[in-house]
Amino acid sequence: RDFFLENQGIFTLGNNSSGTSNNSSSDVPLLFYSRRIGLAASRQVPIWGGGRLTGRMGRYQFGVVNMQTKEDQAASAPSTNFSVVRVKRDILRRSSIGVLATSRSKSQDVAGSMSHALGVDGTFAFFSNLTVATYYAQTRNDRAASDNSSYRLQTEYAGDRYGLQLERLTIDPNFNPKVGFLRRLDMRKNYGLFRFSPRQRRLKSIRKFS
């Protein structure tokens, strides 16, 4: 597990958590979920080998993973190649844009089929309290050629006295990242929050209301 967990944050697409009470980040799909490699039907699958490369060059961050598993007849798992490529670039002062691509040579549920996923994301920070985070992703396999996308748009203003958060998240019914993890599919989610947090000086035991 240590091999996959080190620097795993570089492979996260669009799953930007905020400081408010909205816990919708758990509904955001993961295009790369390392536990897909070496497990099938709740059984361990032997791994031939592979490699991982992560790092930074100037304003660019990058990550590459390539793994090959062995065939396991008990788990009905053929020998499979897993590939992940991630590139992310810092822009402005506290913003970034990136792209993530994954590929699985053999799908476990459909014999002989390949699966690919491609996503782009961005996080844009304006002034000191305004943040906009977004992503768009598509998956492709031999069976589904439409209704296979997902996107999220989140805007947050996190001021001391006032706060505002708006979010739109969609996952199409055929969106299925075979190298990732999907908690829920075929969903549309809208979320809104307004916060008023005044400070007062009369009550010494209370610093702030919300």
Side-chain angles (χ1 to χ4, degrees), residues 77-134:
S79 179
T80 306
N81 179 265
F82 297 83
S83 301
V84 183
V85 177
R86 170 66 154 158
V87 179
K88 190 175 180 181
R89 187 184 191 278
D90 297 333
I91 60 174
L92 305 176
R93 292 185 177 181
R94 296 180 294 116
S95 304
S96 65
I97 56 175
V99 60
L100 175 67
T102 68
S103 176
R104 180 171 179 165
S105 63
K106 301 288 181 62
S107 176
Q108 189 176 4
D109 51 358
V110 182
S113 66
M114 297 183 64
S115 178
H116 307 281
L118 178 65
V120 294
D121 65 341
T123 302
F124 308 96
F126 304 99
F127 308 106
S128 59
N129 298 315
L130 181 61
T131 303
V132 177
T134 185

Short mmCIF file of all heavy atoms in Angstrom, two decimals, residues 77-134:
data_model
loop_
_atom_site.label_atom_id
_atom_site.label_comp_id
_atom_site.label_asym_id
_atom_site.label_seq_id
_atom_site.Cartn_x
_atom_site.Cartn_y
_atom_site.Cartn_z
N ALA A 77 -10.07 -13.16 -13.23
CA ALA A 77 -9.38 -11.92 -13.57
C ALA A 77 -8.29 -12.23 -14.60
O ALA A 77 -7.34 -12.94 -14.29
CB ALA A 77 -8.78 -11.28 -12.33
N PRO A 78 -8.40 -11.70 -15.81
CA PRO A 78 -7.33 -11.88 -16.80
C PRO A 78 -6.13 -10.99 -16.49
O PRO A 78 -6.23 -10.06 -15.68
CB PRO A 78 -7.99 -11.47 -18.11
CG PRO A 78 -9.01 -10.45 -17.70
CD PRO A 78 -9.51 -10.89 -16.35
N SER A 79 -5.02 -11.27 -17.11
CA SER A 79 -3.85 -10.40 -16.98
C SER A 79 -4.21 -9.01 -17.53
O SER A 79 -4.67 -8.88 -18.66
CB SER A 79 -2.67 -10.99 -17.75
OG SER A 79 -1.55 -10.15 -17.65
N THR A 80 -3.99 -7.97 -16.72
CA THR A 80 -4.51 -6.63 -17.03
C THR A 80 -3.43 -5.59 -16.83
O THR A 80 -2.65 -5.67 -15.88
CB THR A 80 -5.72 -6.29 -16.14
OG1 THR A 80 -6.70 -7.33 -16.26
CG2 THR A 80 -6.35 -4.97 -16.55
N ASN A 81 -3.43 -4.60 -17.73
CA ASN A 81 -2.53 -3.46 -17.60
C ASN A 81 -3.32 -2.24 -17.12
O ASN A 81 -4.39 -1.94 -17.65
CB ASN A 81 -1.84 -3.15 -18.93
CG ASN A 81 -0.92 -1.94 -18.82
OD1 ASN A 81 -1.30 -0.82 -19.12
ND2 ASN A 81 0.30 -2.18 -18.37
N PHE A 82 -2.77 -1.54 -16.13
CA PHE A 82 -3.36 -0.32 -15.60
C PHE A 82 -2.39 0.83 -15.85
O PHE A 82 -1.21 0.75 -15.47
CB PHE A 82 -3.62 -0.44 -14.10
CG PHE A 82 -4.60 -1.51 -13.71
CD1 PHE A 82 -4.19 -2.83 -13.59
CD2 PHE A 82 -5.93 -1.20 -13.48
CE1 PHE A 82 -5.09 -3.83 -13.23
CE2 PHE A 82 -6.83 -2.18 -13.11
CZ PHE A 82 -6.42 -3.51 -12.99
N SER A 83 -2.88 1.91 -16.46
CA SER A 83 -2.03 3.06 -16.77
C SER A 83 -2.73 4.34 -16.33
O SER A 83 -3.94 4.50 -16.53
CB SER A 83 -1.72 3.14 -18.27
OG SER A 83 -1.06 1.97 -18.71
N VAL A 84 -1.94 5.25 -15.74
CA VAL A 84 -2.46 6.52 -15.27
C VAL A 84 -1.43 7.60 -15.59
O VAL A 84 -0.24 7.42 -15.33
CB VAL A 84 -2.75 6.52 -13.75
CG1 VAL A 84 -3.37 7.85 -13.33
CG2 VAL A 84 -3.65 5.36 -13.37
N VAL A 85 -1.89 8.73 -16.15
CA VAL A 85 -1.02 9.86 -16.44
C VAL A 85 -1.70 11.13 -15.92
O VAL A 85 -2.88 11.37 -16.21
CB VAL A 85 -0.72 10.00 -17.95
CG1 VAL A 85 0.14 11.24 -18.20
CG2 VAL A 85 -0.04 8.76 -18.47
N ARG A 86 -0.96 11.92 -15.16
CA ARG A 86 -1.50 13.15 -14.60
C ARG A 86 -0.51 14.29 -14.81
O ARG A 86 0.69 14.15 -14.54
CB ARG A 86 -1.74 12.97 -13.10
CG ARG A 86 -2.07 14.25 -12.33
CD ARG A 86 -3.40 14.83 -12.72
NE ARG A 86 -4.00 15.64 -11.65
CZ ARG A 86 -4.91 16.57 -11.85
NH1 ARG A 86 -5.32 16.85 -13.08
NH2 ARG A 86 -5.43 17.24 -10.84
N VAL A 87 -1.00 15.43 -15.30
CA VAL A 87 -0.21 16.64 -15.47
C VAL A 87 -1.01 17.81 -14.90
O VAL A 87 -2.19 17.96 -15.20
CB VAL A 87 0.14 16.91 -16.94
CG1 VAL A 87 0.95 18.20 -17.06
CG2 VAL A 87 0.91 15.75 -17.54
N LYS A 88 -0.35 18.62 -14.09
CA LYS A 88 -1.01 19.75 -13.44
C LYS A 88 -0.08 20.96 -13.49
O LYS A 88 1.12 20.83 -13.26
CB LYS A 88 -1.32 19.39 -11.99
CG LYS A 88 -2.20 20.36 -11.25
CD LYS A 88 -2.53 19.82 -9.86
CE LYS A 88 -3.42 20.75 -9.08
NZ LYS A 88 -3.71 20.21 -7.72
N ARG A 89 -0.63 22.13 -13.80
CA ARG A 89 0.18 23.33 -13.92
C ARG A 89 -0.37 24.44 -13.03
O ARG A 89 -1.57 24.71 -13.01
CB ARG A 89 0.21 23.83 -15.37
CG ARG A 89 1.20 25.00 -15.57
CD ARG A 89 1.14 25.53 -16.99
NE ARG A 89 2.23 26.45 -17.28
CZ ARG A 89 2.25 27.74 -16.96
NH1 ARG A 89 1.22 28.26 -16.30
NH2 ARG A 89 3.29 28.50 -17.27
N ASP A 90 0.52 25.06 -12.27
CA ASP A 90 0.16 26.22 -11.46
C ASP A 90 0.05 27.45 -12.34
O ASP A 90 0.91 27.69 -13.19
CB ASP A 90 1.21 26.46 -10.38
CG ASP A 90 1.33 25.30 -9.40
OD1 ASP A 90 0.32 24.59 -9.21
OD2 ASP A 90 2.42 25.12 -8.83
N ILE A 91 -1.01 28.23 -12.14
CA ILE A 91 -1.20 29.47 -12.87
C ILE A 91 -1.56 30.58 -11.88
O ILE A 91 -2.02 30.31 -10.76
CB ILE A 91 -2.29 29.36 -13.95
CG1 ILE A 91 -3.63 28.99 -13.32
CG2 ILE A 91 -1.90 28.32 -15.00
CD1 ILE A 91 -4.80 28.98 -14.29
N LEU A 92 -1.36 31.82 -12.29
CA LEU A 92 -1.61 32.95 -11.43
C LEU A 92 -0.89 32.76 -10.10
O LEU A 92 0.19 32.20 -10.04
CB LEU A 92 -3.12 33.16 -11.25
CG LEU A 92 -3.93 33.30 -12.56
CD1 LEU A 92 -5.41 33.41 -12.27
CD2 LEU A 92 -3.43 34.48 -13.37
N ARG A 93 -1.48 33.18 -9.00
CA ARG A 93 -0.80 33.07 -7.70
C ARG A 93 -1.18 31.79 -6.96
O ARG A 93 -0.32 31.11 -6.41
CB ARG A 93 -1.14 34.28 -6.83
CG ARG A 93 -0.54 35.60 -7.33
CD ARG A 93 -0.82 36.71 -6.35
NE ARG A 93 -0.20 37.97 -6.76
CZ ARG A 93 -0.29 39.10 -6.06
NH1 ARG A 93 -0.97 39.12 -4.92
NH2 ARG A 93 0.29 40.21 -6.51
N ARG A 94 -2.48 31.46 -6.93
CA ARG A 94 -2.92 30.31 -6.15
C ARG A 94 -3.92 29.46 -6.93
O ARG A 94 -4.84 28.89 -6.36
CB ARG A 94 -3.56 30.78 -4.83
CG ARG A 94 -2.59 31.49 -3.90
CD ARG A 94 -3.27 31.94 -2.59
NE ARG A 94 -4.27 32.96 -2.84
CZ ARG A 94 -5.57 32.80 -2.60
NH1 ARG A 94 -6.02 31.64 -2.17
NH2 ARG A 94 -6.41 33.80 -2.83
N SER A 95 -3.73 29.36 -8.24
CA SER A 95 -4.65 28.61 -9.09
C SER A 95 -3.90 27.53 -9.84
O SER A 95 -2.67 27.54 -9.92
CB SER A 95 -5.36 29.56 -10.07
OG SER A 95 -6.03 30.59 -9.39
N SER A 96 -4.66 26.59 -10.41
CA SER A 96 -4.04 25.50 -11.16
C SER A 96 -5.04 24.91 -12.13
O SER A 96 -6.25 24.99 -11.93
CB SER A 96 -3.53 24.41 -10.21
OG SER A 96 -4.61 23.79 -9.53
N ILE A 97 -4.52 24.31 -13.20
CA ILE A 97 -5.31 23.54 -14.15
C ILE A 97 -4.59 22.23 -14.40
O ILE A 97 -3.37 22.13 -14.21
CB ILE A 97 -5.51 24.30 -15.49
CG1 ILE A 97 -4.16 24.69 -16.09
CG2 ILE A 97 -6.39 25.53 -15.28
CD1 ILE A 97 -4.27 25.33 -17.46
N GLY A 98 -5.34 21.19 -14.81
CA GLY A 98 -4.69 19.90 -15.01
C GLY A 98 -5.51 18.97 -15.86
O GLY A 98 -6.67 19.24 -16.21
N VAL A 99 -4.89 17.83 -16.20
CA VAL A 99 -5.53 16.78 -16.98
C VAL A 99 -5.12 15.44 -16.39
O VAL A 99 -3.99 15.28 -15.90
CB VAL A 99 -5.16 16.89 -18.48
CG1 VAL A 99 -3.65 16.75 -18.65
CG2 VAL A 99 -5.89 15.85 -19.30
N LEU A 100 -6.04 14.48 -16.42
CA LEU A 100 -5.78 13.13 -15.90
C LEU A 100 -6.35 12.12 -16.88
O LEU A 100 -7.51 12.25 -17.30
CB LEU A 100 -6.41 12.95 -14.52
CG LEU A 100 -6.33 11.55 -13.90
CD1 LEU A 100 -4.88 11.20 -13.57
CD2 LEU A 100 -7.18 11.46 -12.64
N ALA A 101 -5.56 11.12 -17.25
CA ALA A 101 -6.00 10.07 -18.16
C ALA A 101 -5.70 8.71 -17.55
O ALA A 101 -4.63 8.51 -16.96
CB ALA A 101 -5.30 10.19 -19.51
N THR A 102 -6.65 7.78 -17.65
CA THR A 102 -6.46 6.42 -17.15
C THR A 102 -6.86 5.42 -18.23
O THR A 102 -7.68 5.72 -19.11
CB THR A 102 -7.30 6.15 -15.89
OG1 THR A 102 -8.70 6.14 -16.23
CG2 THR A 102 -7.05 7.22 -14.83
N SER A 103 -6.29 4.22 -18.13
CA SER A 103 -6.60 3.17 -19.09
C SER A 103 -6.51 1.81 -18.40
O SER A 103 -5.61 1.58 -17.58
CB SER A 103 -5.63 3.22 -20.27
OG SER A 103 -5.86 2.14 -21.16
N ARG A 104 -7.44 0.94 -18.73
CA ARG A 104 -7.44 -0.44 -18.23
C ARG A 104 -7.63 -1.36 -19.42
O ARG A 104 -8.61 -1.25 -20.15
CB ARG A 104 -8.56 -0.65 -17.21
CG ARG A 104 -8.64 -2.06 -16.66
CD ARG A 104 -9.61 -2.14 -15.50
NE ARG A 104 -9.69 -3.49 -14.99
CZ ARG A 104 -10.22 -3.81 -13.81
NH1 ARG A 104 -10.70 -2.86 -13.04
NH2 ARG A 104 -10.26 -5.07 -13.40
N SER A 105 -6.68 -2.28 -19.63
CA SER A 105 -6.68 -3.08 -20.85
C SER A 105 -7.77 -4.13 -20.87
O SER A 105 -8.27 -4.48 -21.94
CB SER A 105 -5.32 -3.76 -21.03
OG SER A 105 -5.07 -4.66 -19.96
N LYS A 106 -8.17 -4.66 -19.72
CA LYS A 106 -9.21 -5.68 -19.66
C LYS A 106 -10.20 -5.31 -18.56
O LYS A 106 -9.82 -5.04 -17.42
CB LYS A 106 -8.61 -7.06 -19.34
CG LYS A 106 -7.59 -7.54 -20.35
CD LYS A 106 -8.24 -7.94 -21.65
CE LYS A 106 -7.19 -8.45 -22.64
NZ LYS A 106 -6.50 -9.64 -22.16
N SER A 107 -11.48 -5.32 -18.90
CA SER A 107 -12.51 -5.05 -17.91
C SER A 107 -12.97 -6.36 -17.30
O SER A 107 -13.13 -7.37 -18.00
CB SER A 107 -13.70 -4.34 -18.56
OG SER A 107 -14.74 -4.15 -17.64
N GLN A 108 -13.19 -6.37 -16.00
CA GLN A 108 -13.56 -7.60 -15.32
C GLN A 108 -14.99 -8.02 -15.61
O GLN A 108 -15.30 -9.20 -15.69
CB GLN A 108 -13.36 -7.46 -13.81
CG GLN A 108 -13.51 -8.77 -13.05
CD GLN A 108 -13.22 -8.61 -11.58
OE1 GLN A 108 -12.97 -7.51 -11.12
NE2 GLN A 108 -13.26 -9.70 -10.85
N ASP A 109 -15.91 -7.04 -15.78
CA ASP A 109 -17.31 -7.38 -15.98
C ASP A 109 -17.65 -7.68 -17.44
O ASP A 109 -18.65 -8.33 -17.71
CB ASP A 109 -18.21 -6.26 -15.47
CG ASP A 109 -17.82 -4.90 -16.02
OD1 ASP A 109 -16.84 -4.84 -16.77
OD2 ASP A 109 -18.51 -3.91 -15.68
N VAL A 110 -16.83 -7.19 -18.39
CA VAL A 110 -17.06 -7.47 -19.81
C VAL A 110 -15.78 -8.04 -20.39
O VAL A 110 -14.78 -7.33 -20.50
CB VAL A 110 -17.48 -6.21 -20.60
CG1 VAL A 110 -17.75 -6.56 -22.05
CG2 VAL A 110 -18.71 -5.58 -19.96
N ALA A 111 -15.78 -9.30 -20.72
CA ALA A 111 -14.56 -9.97 -21.17
C ALA A 111 -13.99 -9.32 -22.42
O ALA A 111 -14.70 -9.08 -23.39
CB ALA A 111 -14.86 -11.45 -21.45
N GLY A 112 -12.69 -9.02 -22.38
CA GLY A 112 -11.99 -8.52 -23.55
C GLY A 112 -12.14 -7.04 -23.82
O GLY A 112 -11.57 -6.53 -24.78
N SER A 113 -12.91 -6.31 -23.03
CA SER A 113 -13.16 -4.91 -23.33
C SER A 113 -12.15 -4.02 -22.62
O SER A 113 -11.73 -4.30 -21.50
CB SER A 113 -14.58 -4.52 -22.91
OG SER A 113 -14.72 -4.58 -21.51
N MET A 114 -11.78 -2.91 -23.28
CA MET A 114 -10.89 -1.92 -22.71
C MET A 114 -11.73 -0.78 -22.12
O MET A 114 -12.90 -0.61 -22.46
CB MET A 114 -9.93 -1.38 -23.75
CG MET A 114 -8.98 -2.41 -24.33
SD MET A 114 -7.81 -1.67 -25.49
CE MET A 114 -6.89 -0.58 -24.40
N SER A 115 -11.11 -0.01 -21.25
CA SER A 115 -11.79 1.12 -20.64
C SER A 115 -10.82 2.28 -20.49
O SER A 115 -9.67 2.08 -20.07
CB SER A 115 -12.35 0.73 -19.27
OG SER A 115 -12.98 1.84 -18.65
N HIS A 116 -11.28 3.48 -20.85
CA HIS A 116 -10.45 4.68 -20.76
C HIS A 116 -11.24 5.78 -20.05
O HIS A 116 -12.48 5.81 -20.08
CB HIS A 116 -10.05 5.18 -22.15
CG HIS A 116 -9.41 4.13 -23.01
ND1 HIS A 116 -8.10 3.75 -22.88
CD2 HIS A 116 -9.93 3.38 -24.01
CE1 HIS A 116 -7.83 2.82 -23.75
NE2 HIS A 116 -8.91 2.57 -24.47
N ALA A 117 -10.52 6.68 -19.42
CA ALA A 117 -11.14 7.84 -18.78
C ALA A 117 -10.23 9.04 -18.99
O ALA A 117 -9.00 8.92 -18.96
CB ALA A 117 -11.35 7.60 -17.29
N LEU A 118 -10.84 10.19 -19.21
CA LEU A 118 -10.09 11.42 -19.42
C LEU A 118 -10.82 12.55 -18.71
O LEU A 118 -12.03 12.70 -18.85
CB LEU A 118 -9.95 11.74 -20.90
CG LEU A 118 -9.23 13.04 -21.25
CD1 LEU A 118 -7.76 12.97 -20.82
CD2 LEU A 118 -9.32 13.32 -22.75
N GLY A 119 -10.07 13.35 -17.94
CA GLY A 119 -10.68 14.45 -17.22
C GLY A 119 -9.78 15.67 -17.17
O GLY A 119 -8.55 15.55 -17.20
N VAL A 120 -10.40 16.83 -17.11
CA VAL A 120 -9.67 18.09 -16.94
C VAL A 120 -10.27 18.79 -15.72
O VAL A 120 -11.47 18.68 -15.45
CB VAL A 120 -9.78 18.98 -18.19
CG1 VAL A 120 -9.07 18.34 -19.37
CG2 VAL A 120 -11.23 19.27 -18.55
N ASP A 121 -9.44 19.51 -14.99
CA ASP A 121 -9.94 20.19 -13.81
C ASP A 121 -9.19 21.51 -13.61
O ASP A 121 -8.15 21.76 -14.22
CB ASP A 121 -9.81 19.31 -12.56
CG ASP A 121 -8.36 19.02 -12.19
OD1 ASP A 121 -7.47 19.19 -13.07
OD2 ASP A 121 -8.09 18.62 -11.04
N GLY A 122 -9.77 22.34 -12.76
CA GLY A 122 -9.15 23.62 -12.46
C GLY A 122 -9.62 24.14 -11.12
O GLY A 122 -10.77 23.93 -10.72
N THR A 123 -8.71 24.80 -10.43
CA THR A 123 -9.02 25.48 -9.18
C THR A 123 -8.52 26.91 -9.30
O THR A 123 -7.33 27.13 -9.56
CB THR A 123 -8.36 24.79 -7.98
OG1 THR A 123 -8.80 23.44 -7.90
CG2 THR A 123 -8.72 25.51 -6.68
N PHE A 124 -9.42 27.87 -9.12
CA PHE A 124 -9.08 29.28 -9.35
C PHE A 124 -9.39 30.07 -8.08
O PHE A 124 -10.53 30.09 -7.62
CB PHE A 124 -9.87 29.82 -10.53
CG PHE A 124 -9.75 28.98 -11.77
CD1 PHE A 124 -10.71 28.03 -12.07
CD2 PHE A 124 -8.66 29.13 -12.61
CE1 PHE A 124 -10.60 27.24 -13.21
CE2 PHE A 124 -8.53 28.35 -13.75
CZ PHE A 124 -9.50 27.40 -14.05
N ALA A 125 -8.37 30.72 -7.54
CA ALA A 125 -8.51 31.52 -6.33
C ALA A 125 -8.41 33.00 -6.70
O ALA A 125 -7.45 33.43 -7.35
CB ALA A 125 -7.42 31.15 -5.32
N PHE A 126 -9.43 33.76 -6.30
CA PHE A 126 -9.47 35.19 -6.57
C PHE A 126 -9.50 35.94 -5.25
O PHE A 126 -10.19 35.55 -4.30
CB PHE A 126 -10.71 35.54 -7.40
CG PHE A 126 -10.80 34.78 -8.70
CD1 PHE A 126 -11.62 33.67 -8.79
CD2 PHE A 126 -10.06 35.17 -9.80
CE1 PHE A 126 -11.72 32.97 -9.98
CE2 PHE A 126 -10.15 34.47 -11.00
CZ PHE A 126 -10.97 33.36 -11.09
N PHE A 127 -8.76 37.04 -5.21
CA PHE A 127 -8.67 37.84 -3.98
C PHE A 127 -8.22 36.93 -2.84
O PHE A 127 -7.38 36.06 -3.02
CB PHE A 127 -10.01 38.53 -3.70
CG PHE A 127 -10.52 39.31 -4.87
CD1 PHE A 127 -11.58 38.85 -5.62
CD2 PHE A 127 -9.91 40.50 -5.25
CE1 PHE A 127 -12.06 39.55 -6.71
CE2 PHE A 127 -10.37 41.22 -6.34
CZ PHE A 127 -11.44 40.75 -7.08
N SER A 128 -8.78 37.09 -1.65
CA SER A 128 -8.34 36.27 -0.52
C SER A 128 -9.37 35.25 -0.08
O SER A 128 -9.03 34.30 0.63
CB SER A 128 -7.99 37.17 0.68
OG SER A 128 -9.12 37.94 1.06
N ASN A 129 -10.64 35.38 -0.53
CA ASN A 129 -11.69 34.51 -0.01
C ASN A 129 -12.54 33.83 -1.06
O ASN A 129 -13.41 33.03 -0.70
CB ASN A 129 -12.63 35.32 0.92
CG ASN A 129 -11.91 35.87 2.13
OD1 ASN A 129 -11.14 35.17 2.76
ND2 ASN A 129 -12.17 37.14 2.45
N LEU A 130 -12.33 34.12 -2.34
CA LEU A 130 -13.19 33.57 -3.39
C LEU A 130 -12.46 32.46 -4.14
O LEU A 130 -11.34 32.65 -4.62
CB LEU A 130 -13.59 34.68 -4.37
CG LEU A 130 -14.51 34.27 -5.52
CD1 LEU A 130 -15.83 33.72 -5.00
CD2 LEU A 130 -14.74 35.44 -6.47
N THR A 131 -13.11 31.29 -4.23
CA THR A 131 -12.53 30.13 -4.89
C THR A 131 -13.55 29.50 -5.82
O THR A 131 -14.72 29.34 -5.45
CB THR A 131 -12.06 29.08 -3.87
OG1 THR A 131 -11.13 29.68 -2.97
CG2 THR A 131 -11.38 27.92 -4.57
N VAL A 132 -13.12 29.12 -7.02
CA VAL A 132 -13.94 28.40 -7.98
C VAL A 132 -13.20 27.11 -8.34
O VAL A 132 -12.04 27.16 -8.76
CB VAL A 132 -14.21 29.23 -9.25
CG1 VAL A 132 -15.02 28.42 -10.25
CG2 VAL A 132 -14.94 30.52 -8.90
N ALA A 133 -13.87 25.98 -8.16
CA ALA A 133 -13.28 24.67 -8.47
C ALA A 133 -14.20 23.93 -9.43
O ALA A 133 -15.42 23.91 -9.23
CB ALA A 133 -13.06 23.86 -7.20
N THR A 134 -13.62 23.29 -10.45
CA THR A 134 -14.44 22.61 -11.43
C THR A 134 -13.67 21.46 -12.07
O THR A 134 -12.44 21.41 -12.03
CB THR A 134 -14.88 23.60 -12.54
OG1 THR A 134 -15.77 22.94 -13.44
CG2 THR A 134 -13.68 24.14 -13.30
#
